[in-house]
C-alpha cells in the first residue's frame, strides 16, 4: 500500500518527508517529490504551489459585457504568469497513479482546505482523503498529525469555493462596469473595486473628507521653563478661553520661583504584551520595522515553512495548552544564548504564559518554535526576533513603572510636572520593542522652590484627525469585520496599486480614490456599504458550519448584483464623465510640484528605466530640468523656495529645493570648501579608496568611491560624519555616542534598543556641552574593552539625468490628453 501526502508548498513537503522518515528525493519535469517508508507503508510526499486552479469564464465575453456569472475552475497554468504550475499538476497526476491512500497536508484554514481539495479532486481524481492538521512544522507535531489524521472539512471547502466565486462576481463585474463607464467617455483606465475593497476605500475616503473639512479652533498653552530644561505645564493644559489664558499669563509672567505643593508617585505593574495574532504582528512589524502588512504576512509564512515559527494566519491570542509541547519549544529556543537565561528561569519555576482574549479553533497564537539553523535574510531575522522575544516574554515578570506628578504653584496658578521611569524591566528587558517614556524628575519635597527661567505663552490650533497608517488600518478592518486575516493585506495592496491611496507614512486618498467612491455611492451605494459585505461574511460562516447551502448564498448574490449593475448601466456615460474628471485631477496632483519660470508646470517625470527627475511641461520649448534623489519618498507640498523661487518637495521627513545649486542646498562656506577640496586628494580612512566630492539632498560632502561597499562619508572640512564616540557603555560594553533627542543632546548606547543606557549632558553654562563630554570620557575610559559599532550617515549622490526629446514629447502628449 502506498500513501500520497499532498502539501501546499515544496519546502513544506521536504519538512514533512524528513519528519516522517529518511526520504529519497525524486523529480518529475524538475518538480521535486519525496519517497520514504514508515512502519511498513510506502509514502510519497508531493506538493502544490499554492492555488493550482483559478476561476475563469467558460466562454470569453466582450470587454463591455457585464454581469458575467458563467465561470469554472481551471488550471492556473492558463494564466500567462502561472505557466510553471502545470508541472506541479502533472507531477501530482503521475504520483497519484501509484497511490491507494491519500492524505491532505495543506495549511489548516479555508484557503488551505480548498487548495488541498482541488489538488486531490482535479489532479488526483479523488473525492476524499485523510487530513493532517498541524500549526507548526516541528517533527513531533507532524508525526502526531500523521498518526492521528481526520477527514477533509467540506464546510471549509464549500465556504472557500463560495468566497472565491462571490469575490469574482463582485470584483470582475463592478470593475468592468467602472472601466466601461470610463471608456464611454473616450478614455481608458484600469479601475477596480470589490466586495471588501469598496467599503475599505469608502471609510478611508470618509476620513480624508473629514480632514479636508476640518476647521481648526484656537487654544492657548502656558508653560514654565525651569532649571534642567524642565517644563511645567499649567494644570488646565489647553485654555479654550482666551481671556482666562491671558489672565493666567499676566499673573505669572514676571514670577521667578515655583512652589512645590504636592508630590504624587504611583507604582504600576505592566504585564507582558499578549501573544501575536496576525493582525497584531502586522501592526507591530509596521511600527518597529515599517514593514507593510503584505510583507509581514509573506515573511511570517517563510518562517513557518522553514520550521521556525507557527502558522501565521491566525486570530488567536493564546499559546497552545499542551505544556509538554511548549516546554519542548522553549528548550529549542534556549539554544540561542541570548534567550537561555530567561528560559532556564521559566522552566525551573514552571511558569505559565500570559494569554489574550481572542481564540481561533484552527490555530494557536503565532509563536517561535525553534532557532534558525542558517543565516536568515535580514527581514526574516528581524521578524523572527520580534516573534521569538514576544514568545519568551509572555512568561516573564511584569515591568514595574513609577509615574510621578509634582504639583506646583506660581502666584496662585496651578502647574504640574509629569514624569515616568522604569523601576524593574521585567519582560521589557527581553522584549524591548515596546517603547516606554523615561522622563526623570529631580528629587523634590513639599515647599521646595524651583527657579523659573522663562514663562512660555503660545497660541495654537487644534489639528485635524490623523489619517490611518498601514498599522492602524489593519486594526480598523478587523474592528469592522471587513475581509479576513488572510486577505486584508492584499486589499491594501490593491488600493495603493490602483492609485486610490498613497502611502507616504499615512494613507492619503487621491482624488481618484475619492471620485470612485463618491461615484459608486451616487449610482450604486450598496457596493461601498459595509452592510452587504458583512452580511455575506456571516453567510460564508454559516456555509462553513454547514448551516446553509452554498448554492443558496451564490444565487442570492447573483440576484442582488444583477439589480445593482442594471441600475448602474443606465447612467454609464454620466458615471464615466465624473470618473475622467477625477482621474485627470489625480494625475495632475501626483505629478505637478510647482510652476516653472517659463509659466509651465514643473512635473515629476519617470523614464522607462524607472529613473526620476523634474522637468517642465513646456519641453522642448523649455529645457529646464532638475535631478532629484532616486531613493526616498517624494511628496508634493506646493511650496516655493524663497531663495531661488523654484519648487520645494518633501523628501521623506525633510524639505528640499529641487535646484541643486540653490544656496539653501549649498552654503557659501561649502562653496569655498569645495574649491579647497578640489585641490587636494584624500583617501578613505576605512578602505583606502579615493574620497570624492559629492552633492546630495542633505548638502555637499566627501564620500568613498567604493560606495555602497564602503559607506564612509565626511564633511568638506575633514570632520567625519560618524557619530562621536564618548566611551564604553557601563551596562553592556558597547560604544557610548553623543546623540540628539527631543529634549536636546544626550549620551546614549550604540546598542539601542537592546541596551537603553543613557546619561544626561549637564551644562556648566549655557551652550557648553564639551565639559560634560570630557568628564564622561574620563569616567568610562577604564571600561573600553569591546569592539566599536560603526555608525554611518547614509547620503545619496544623484547625478543630473539626461533627457531624450522623444520620451519627453510622449510625456507632453500624455499630459495634454
Amino acid at each position: 500500500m502506498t500513501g500520497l501526502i499532498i502539501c501546499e508548498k515544496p519546502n513544506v513537503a521536504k519538512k514533512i518527508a524528513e519528519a516522517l522518515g529518511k526520504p529519497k528525493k525524486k523529480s518529475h519535469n524538475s518538480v521535486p517529490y519525496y519517497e520514504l517508508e514508515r512502519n511498513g507503508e510506502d509514502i510519497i510526499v508531493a506538493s502544490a504551489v499554492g492555488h493550482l486552479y483559478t476561476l475563469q469564464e467558460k466562454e470569453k465575453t466582450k470587454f463591455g459585457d457585464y454581469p458575467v456569472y458563467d465561470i469554472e475552475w481551471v488550471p492556473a497554468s492558463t494564466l500567462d504568469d502561472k505557466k510553471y504550475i502545470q508541472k506541479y499538476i502533472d507531477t501530482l497526476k503521475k504520483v497519484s497513479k501509484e497511490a491507494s491512500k491519500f492524505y491532505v497536508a495543506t495549511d489548516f484554514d479555508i484557503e488551505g482546505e480548498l487548495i488541498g481539495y482541488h489538488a486531490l479532486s482535479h489532479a488526483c481524481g479523488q473525492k476524499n482523503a485523510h487530513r493532517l492538521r498541524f500549526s507548526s512544522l516541528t517533527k513531533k507535531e507532524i508525526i502526531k498529525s500523521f498518526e492521528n489524521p481526520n477527514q477533509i472539512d467540506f464546510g471549509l471547502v464549500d465556504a472557500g469555493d463560495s468566497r472565491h466565486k462571490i469575490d469574482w462576481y463582485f470584483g470582475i463585474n463592478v470593475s468592468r462596469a467602472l472601466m466601461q463607464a470610463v471608456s464611454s467617455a473616450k478614455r481608458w483606465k484600469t479601475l477596480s473595486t470589490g466586495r471588501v475593497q469598496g467599503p475599505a476605500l469608502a471609510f478611508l475616503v470618509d476620513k480624508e473628507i473629514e480632514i479636508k473639512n476640518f476647521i481648526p479652533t484656537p487654544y492657548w498653552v502656558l508653560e514654565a521653563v525651569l532649571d534642567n530644561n524642565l517644563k511645567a505645564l499649567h494644570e488646565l493644559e489647553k485654555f479654550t478661553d482666551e481671556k482666562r489664558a491671558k489672565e493666567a499669563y499676566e499673573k505669572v509672567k514676571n514670577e521667578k520661583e515655583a512652589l512645590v505643593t504636592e508630590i504624587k508617585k504611583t507604582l504600576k505593574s505592566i504585564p507582558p504584551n499578549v501573544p501575536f495574532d496576525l493582525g497584531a504582528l502586522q501592526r507591530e512589524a509596521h511600527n518597529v520595522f515599517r514593514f507593510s502588512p503584505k510583507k509581514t504576512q509573506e515573511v511570517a509564512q517563510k518562517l513557518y515553512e522553514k520550521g521556525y515559527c507557527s502558522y501565521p494566519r491566525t486570530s488567536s491570542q493564546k499559546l497552545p495548552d499542551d505544556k509538554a509541547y511548549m516546554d519542548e519549544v522553549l528548550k529549542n529556543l534556549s539554544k540561542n544564548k541570548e534567550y537561555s537565561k530567561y528560559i532556564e528561569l521559566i522552566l525551573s519555576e514552571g511558569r505559565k504564559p500570559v494569554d489574550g482574549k481572542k481564540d481561533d479553533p484552527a490555530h494557536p497564537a503565532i509563536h517561535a518554535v525553534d532557532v534558525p539553523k542558517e543565516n536568515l535574510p535580514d527581514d526574516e531575522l528581524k521578524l523572527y526576533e520580534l516573534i521569538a522575544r514576544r514568545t519568551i516574554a509572555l512568561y516573564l515578570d511584569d515591568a514595574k513603572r513609577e509615574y510621578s506628578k509634582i504639583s506646583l504653584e506660581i502666584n496662585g496658578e496651578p502647574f504640574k510636572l509629569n514624569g515616568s521611569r522604569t523601576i524593574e524591566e521585567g519582560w521589557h528587558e527581553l522584549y524591548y520593542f515596546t517603547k516606554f517614556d523615561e522622563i526623570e524628575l529631580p528629587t523634590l519635597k513639599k515647599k521646595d522652590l524651583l527657579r523659573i527661567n522663562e514663562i512660555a505663552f503660545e497660541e495654537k490650533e487644534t489639528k485635524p484627525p490623523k489619517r490611518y497608517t498601514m498599522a492602524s488600518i489593519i486594526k480598523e478592518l478587523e474592528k469592522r469585520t471587513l475581509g479576513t486575516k488572510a486577505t486584508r493585506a492584499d486589499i491594501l495592496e490593491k488600493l495603493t496599486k490602483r492609485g486610490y491611496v498613497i502611502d507616504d507614512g499615512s494613507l492619503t486618498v487621491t482624488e481618484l480614490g475619492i471620485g470612485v467612491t463618491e461615484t459608486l455611492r451616487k449610482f450604486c451605494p450598496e457596493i461601498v456599504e459595509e452592510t452587504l459585505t458583512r452580511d455575506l461574511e456571516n453567510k460564508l460562516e454559516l456555509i462553513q458550519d454547514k448551516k446553509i447551502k452554498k448554492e443558496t448564498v451564490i444565487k442570492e448574490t447573483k440576484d442582488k448584483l444583477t439589480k445593482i449593475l442594471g441600475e448602474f448601466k443606465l447612467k454609464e456615460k454620466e458615471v464615466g464623465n465624473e470618473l475622467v474628471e477625477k482621474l485627470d485631477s489625480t494625475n495632475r496632483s501626483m505629478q505637478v510640484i510647482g510652476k516653472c519660470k517659463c509659466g509651465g508646470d514643473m512635473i515629476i517625470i519617470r523614464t522607462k528605466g524607472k529613473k526620476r527627475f523634474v522637468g517642465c511641461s513646456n519641453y522642448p520649448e523649455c529645457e529646464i530640468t532638475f535631478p532629484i534623489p532616486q531613493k526616498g519618498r517624494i511628496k508634493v507640498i506646493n511650496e516655493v523656495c524663497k531663495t531661488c523661487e523654484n519648487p520645494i518637495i518633501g523628501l521623506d521627513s525633510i524639505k528640499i529645493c529641487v535646484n541643486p545649486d540653490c544656496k539653501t542646498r549649498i552654503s557659501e562656506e561649502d562653496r569655498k570648501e569645495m574649491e579647497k577640496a578640489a585641490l587636494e586628494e584624500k583617501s578613505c580612512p576605512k578602505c583606502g579608496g579615493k574620497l570624492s566630492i559629492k552633492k546630495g539632498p542633505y548638502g555637499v560632502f566627501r564620500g568613498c568611491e567604493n560606495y555602497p561597499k564602503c559607506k564612509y562619508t565626511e564633511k568638506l572640512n575633514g570632520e567625519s560624519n560618524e557619530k562621536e564616540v564618548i566611551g564604553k557603555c557601563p551596562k553592556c560594553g558597547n560604544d557610548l555616542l553623543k546623540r540628539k533627542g527631543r529634549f536636546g543632546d544626550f549620551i546614549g548606547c550604540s546598542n539601542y534598543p537592546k541596551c537603553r543606557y543613557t546619561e544626561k549632558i549637564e551644562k556648566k553654562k549655557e551652550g557648553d556641552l564639551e565639559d560634560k563630554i570630557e568628564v564622561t570620557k574620563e569616567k568610562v575610559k577604564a571600561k573600553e574593552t569591546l569592539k566599536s559599532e560603526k555608525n554611518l550617515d547614509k547620503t545619496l549622490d544623484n547625478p543630473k539625468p539626461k533627457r531624450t526629446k522623444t520620451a519627453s514629447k510622449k510625456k507632453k502628449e500624455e499630459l495634454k490628453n
Side-chain angles (χ1 to χ4, degrees):
M1 182 182 283
T2 299
L4 171 62
I5 300 175
I6 302 167
C7 305
E8 192 162 323
K9 299 277 180 69
N11 44 359
V12 176
K14 183 174 184 285
K15 277 271 179 193
I16 289 175
E18 288 171 346
L20 294 177
K22 294 180 180 178
K24 291 179 183 176
K25 184 179 179 181
K26 299 210 166 182
S27 66
H28 176 69
N29 285 340
S30 303
V31 171
Y33 63 94
Y34 303 88
E35 290 182 352
L36 59 102
E37 185 183 328
R38 183 174 180 82
N39 298 333
E41 181 183 1
D42 292 328
I43 298 171
I44 300 170
V45 186
S47 83
V49 272
H51 282 283
L52 297 179
Y53 296 86
T54 188
L55 287 167
Q56 276 189 7
E57 291 179 71
K58 286 185 180 178
E59 291 183 16
K60 203 75 175 170
T61 55
K62 290 187 296 182
F63 163 74
D65 289 347
Y66 66 87
V68 175
Y69 302 119
D70 197 12
I71 56 176
E72 63 182 346
W73 289 101
V74 298
S77 53
T78 54
L79 303 172
D80 290 338
D81 60 338
K82 303 280 186 182
K83 298 289 185 192
Y84 66 93
I85 283 177
Q86 192 58 46
K87 290 182 178 182
Y88 287 85
I89 293 173
D90 291 344
T91 301
L92 282 171
K93 284 181 177 178
K94 174 189 177 297
V95 297
S96 68
K97 291 173 182 174
E98 304 169 36
S100 53
K101 193 175 182 181
F102 292 82
Y103 301 84
V104 170
T106 48
D107 293 344
F108 179 29
D109 59 10
I110 286 181
E111 293 303 303
E113 207 78 8
L114 192 62
I115 289 166
Y117 181 71
H118 279 165
L120 179 75
S121 60
H122 296 315
C124 304
Q126 300 295 311
K127 294 300 176 188
N128 210 336
H130 296 288
R131 185 65 162 101
L132 310 188
R133 305 196 191 280
F134 43 81
S135 291
S136 67
L137 291 171
T138 58
K139 183 174 181 178
K140 189 173 180 180
E141 195 166 356
I142 290 167
I143 291 171
K144 183 180 175 183
S145 69
F146 180 76
E147 291 177 349
N148 302 278
N150 49 32
Q151 297 298 310
I152 288 174
D153 185 335
F154 284 96
L156 279 178
V157 173
D158 285 348
D161 181 76
S162 304
R163 183 184 297 280
H164 276 268
K165 286 176 178 173
I166 289 169
D167 285 348
W168 194 98
Y169 294 155
F170 271 86
I172 295 296
N173 287 309
V174 182
S175 298
R176 278 188 182 186
L178 287 171
M179 288 190 285
Q180 178 61 24
V182 173
S183 179
S184 70
K186 310 299 181 190
R187 292 286 291 279
W188 171 258
K189 170 68 177 174
T190 301
L191 298 173
S192 73
T193 190
R195 183 176 62 85
V196 182
Q197 188 182 328
L201 179 59
F203 75 74
L204 284 169
V205 167
D206 290 341
K207 179 69 73 176
E208 198 67 37
I209 291 170
E210 185 185 354
I211 291 166
K212 286 183 177 182
N213 294 338
F214 178 79
I215 299 171
T217 56
Y219 67 91
W220 292 262
V221 175
L222 186 57
E223 271 185 343
V225 182
L226 312 174
D227 281 348
N228 297 316
N229 203 33
L230 288 173
K231 292 178 181 177
L233 188 64
H234 194 282
E235 192 73 49
L236 287 179
E237 295 187 6
K238 294 179 180 180
F239 288 87
T240 54
D241 183 340
E242 184 178 7
K243 184 182 176 185
R244 172 71 183 92
K246 286 183 176 177
E247 283 174 359
Y249 173 62
E250 287 299 323
K251 282 177 72 176
V252 302
K253 68 178 182 181
N254 296 320
E255 296 298 312
K256 301 300 178 187
E257 289 182 328
L259 174 69
V260 177
T261 58
E262 191 176 12
I263 298 170
K264 281 186 180 178
K265 291 188 178 181
T266 308
L267 192 64
K268 287 187 180 178
S269 292
I270 314 294
N273 296 299
V274 300
F276 282 130
D277 61 3
L278 179 59
L281 179 64
Q282 287 170 321
R283 291 193 294 276
E284 188 83 331
H286 182 269
N287 292 333
V288 177
F289 307 125
R290 311 312 294 173
F291 286 2
S292 71
K294 176 84 169 171
K295 180 175 182 176
T296 298
Q297 193 165 311
E298 288 172 348
V299 174
Q301 183 71 18
K302 287 176 186 174
L303 292 173
Y304 162 69
E305 289 170 9
K306 288 180 178 181
Y308 302 138
C309 293
S310 65
Y311 187 67
R313 290 196 286 278
T314 176
S315 56
S316 176
Q317 296 175 329
K318 298 181 179 182
L319 291 184
D321 290 331
D322 188 339
K323 186 178 183 301
Y325 166 82
M326 284 309 302
D327 284 353
E328 182 190 353
V329 163
L330 290 169
K331 284 172 186 172
N332 288 341
L333 298 180
S334 68
K335 296 171 198 168
N336 183 323
K337 289 181 181 177
E338 282 194 66
Y339 307 155
S340 57
K341 69 173 183 178
Y342 302 102
I343 293 169
E344 284 172 15
L345 177 70
I346 292 164
L347 294 175
S348 67
E349 295 183 359
R351 293 188 174 203
K352 291 183 179 179
V354 166
D355 273 339
K357 293 179 181 178
K358 290 196 286 182
D359 207 353
D360 184 334
H363 296 286
I366 301 167
H367 58 280
V369 296
D370 206 347
V371 294
K373 296 173 180 61
E374 77 270 22
N375 292 327
L376 294 176
D378 189 49
D379 289 344
E380 289 181 30
L381 182 60
K382 283 178 177 176
L383 199 68
Y384 172 80
E385 280 272 303
L386 197 71
I387 296 168
R389 288 176 180 274
R390 181 84 151 221
T391 304
I392 301 164
L394 296 168
Y395 293 85
L396 301 182
D397 294 331
D398 291 357
K400 299 287 195 304
R401 299 262 297 154
E402 183 186 77
Y403 296 89
S404 305
K405 181 187 175 183
I406 298 176
S407 298
L408 306 173
E409 187 182 295
I410 304 173
N411 195 20
E413 290 292 334
F415 284 74
K416 62 182 178 181
L417 282 168
N418 290 322
S420 59
R421 66 191 183 108
T422 302
I423 306 295
E424 292 176 21
E425 288 276 5
W427 59 268
H428 193 249
E429 182 181 315
L430 179 68
Y431 190 81
Y432 43 71
F433 301 103
T434 299
K435 292 180 181 177
F436 287 152
D437 284 333
E438 301 290 338
I439 304 168
E440 291 272 358
L441 295 180
T443 303
L444 296 169
K445 59 184 185 297
K446 205 171 178 180
K447 296 188 179 179
D448 277 352
L449 292 173
L450 299 175
R451 189 173 68 181
I452 300 171
N453 296 317
E454 181 190 352
I455 295 291
F457 183 56
E458 190 178 357
E459 181 180 350
K460 296 185 177 183
E461 287 186 336
T462 53
K463 293 182 178 178
K466 288 183 178 178
R467 290 182 172 91
Y468 291 103
T469 65
M470 279 294 189
S472 62
I473 191 71
I474 287 285
K475 192 168 187 177
E476 189 65 24
L477 288 168
E478 287 176 359
K479 181 180 164 186
R480 295 171 183 251
T481 60
L482 292 175
T484 67
K485 51 187 175 281
T487 61
R488 289 178 184 122
D490 289 322
I491 291 161
L492 297 177
E493 186 107 331
K494 284 175 185 173
L495 292 176
T496 51
K497 261 186 184 175
R498 293 294 182 222
Y500 299 153
V501 170
I502 298 169
D503 178 16
D504 54 1
S506 59
L507 299 176
T508 304
V509 184
T510 64
E511 288 295 322
L512 180 61
I514 293 171
V516 167
T517 299
E518 288 181 341
T519 302
L520 288 172
R521 271 185 173 149
K522 187 174 177 181
F523 297 104
C524 48
E526 297 97 329
I527 296 293
V528 291
E529 285 174 359
E530 295 175 23
T531 311
L532 177 61
T533 191
R534 196 176 289 119
D535 179 55
L536 280 167
E537 285 294 344
N538 292 334
K539 285 178 178 174
L540 289 169
E541 281 189 22
L542 292 173
I543 294 171
Q544 184 175 321
D545 296 336
K546 301 174 187 173
K547 293 177 180 177
I548 190 173
K549 290 187 176 180
K550 70 174 184 178
E551 291 79 10
T552 304
V553 177
I554 288 173
K555 184 181 183 305
E556 285 177 3
T557 303
K558 286 181 185 178
D559 293 343
K560 195 166 285 187
L561 199 50
T562 301
K563 182 176 179 293
I564 291 168
L565 292 171
E567 292 168 2
F568 184 93
K569 202 156 196 165
L570 294 173
K571 299 177 181 177
E572 202 169 69
K573 190 149 190 172
E574 191 180 342
V575 173
N577 290 332
E578 285 197 22
L579 287 173
V580 165
E581 186 183 329
K582 296 296 182 183
L583 181 59
D584 290 343
S585 176
T586 300
N587 287 339
R588 285 194 298 272
S589 65
M590 291 176 73
Q591 293 170 334
V592 179
I593 64 165
K595 282 290 179 185
C596 180
K597 290 179 181 177
C598 75
D601 289 329
M602 294 303 290
I603 55 176
I604 297 171
I605 299 172
R606 288 174 173 80
T607 66
K608 284 185 178 179
K610 295 189 177 175
K611 296 285 183 183
R612 62 190 186 188
F613 66 99
V614 170
C616 180
S617 61
N618 284 339
Y619 180 86
E621 288 78 16
C622 177
E623 295 188 346
I624 293 176
T625 62
F626 294 117
I628 53 176
Q630 298 304 299
K631 291 183 180 178
R633 185 182 287 111
I634 288 178
K635 189 174 181 180
V636 177
I637 56 177
N638 298 312
E639 289 185 20
V640 177
C641 177
K642 292 177 182 177
T643 304
C644 69
E645 297 184 344
N646 281 299
I648 288 175
I649 57 171
L651 176 63
D652 290 330
S653 59
I654 65 164
K655 294 179 182 181
I656 60 166
C657 176
V658 295
N659 178 11
D661 297 320
C662 178
K663 287 182 180 179
T664 61
R665 296 276 296 269
I666 305 175
S667 65
E668 200 57 45
E669 187 182 341
D670 277 344
R671 288 182 191 279
K672 290 176 184 176
E673 290 292 339
M674 282 174 68
E675 290 172 11
K676 286 183 196 173
L679 300 174
E680 61 173 321
E681 284 193 7
K682 289 191 75 174
S683 298
C684 174
K686 290 199 171 291
C687 72
K690 184 181 175 183
L691 290 181
S692 57
I693 299 170
K694 300 186 177 187
K695 288 191 289 185
Y698 307 98
V700 185
F701 62 99
R702 275 197 178 98
C704 183
E705 64 179 352
N706 292 326
Y707 179 86
K709 286 185 179 178
C710 177
K711 296 179 180 178
Y712 179 81
T713 63
E714 64 177 40
K715 295 173 184 174
L716 293 180
N717 62 10
E719 185 183 330
S720 172
N721 282 328
E722 292 191 337
K723 288 187 173 68
E724 183 179 354
V725 178
I726 308 302
K728 294 294 177 183
C729 175
K731 191 172 179 182
C732 72
N734 281 284
D735 287 344
L736 283 179
L737 305 174
K738 180 183 169 186
R739 295 181 179 276
K740 286 186 181 293
R742 56 178 173 167
F743 300 113
D745 292 325
F746 68 98
I747 295 164
C749 183
S750 61
N751 198 28
Y752 178 86
K754 289 186 179 180
C755 177
R756 293 172 177 261
Y757 179 82
T758 60
E759 288 184 25
K760 288 182 181 177
I761 297 177
E762 295 171 6
K763 302 179 187 179
K764 282 192 173 179
K765 51 188 176 183
E766 195 65 33
D768 183 9
L769 301 179
E770 300 305 317
D771 291 341
K772 171 62 181 173
I773 291 170
E774 288 305 316
V775 170
T776 305
K777 284 181 177 178
E778 290 301 319
K779 278 169 66 181
V780 298
K781 194 173 181 181
K783 298 174 184 175
E784 293 181 352
T785 54
L786 299 179
K787 291 182 181 179
S788 300
E789 277 194 359
K790 297 174 184 177
N791 293 275
L792 297 175
D793 293 328
K794 293 181 182 178
T795 318
L796 300 169
D797 180 33
N798 300 296
K800 188 172 182 176
K802 292 181 181 178
R803 182 174 180 178
T804 64
K805 192 168 183 177
T806 309
S808 301
K809 275 185 177 178
K810 285 181 181 177
K811 190 69 187 176
K812 188 176 178 183
E813 286 170 13
E814 286 174 19
L815 286 167
K816 284 181 178 177
N817 289 333

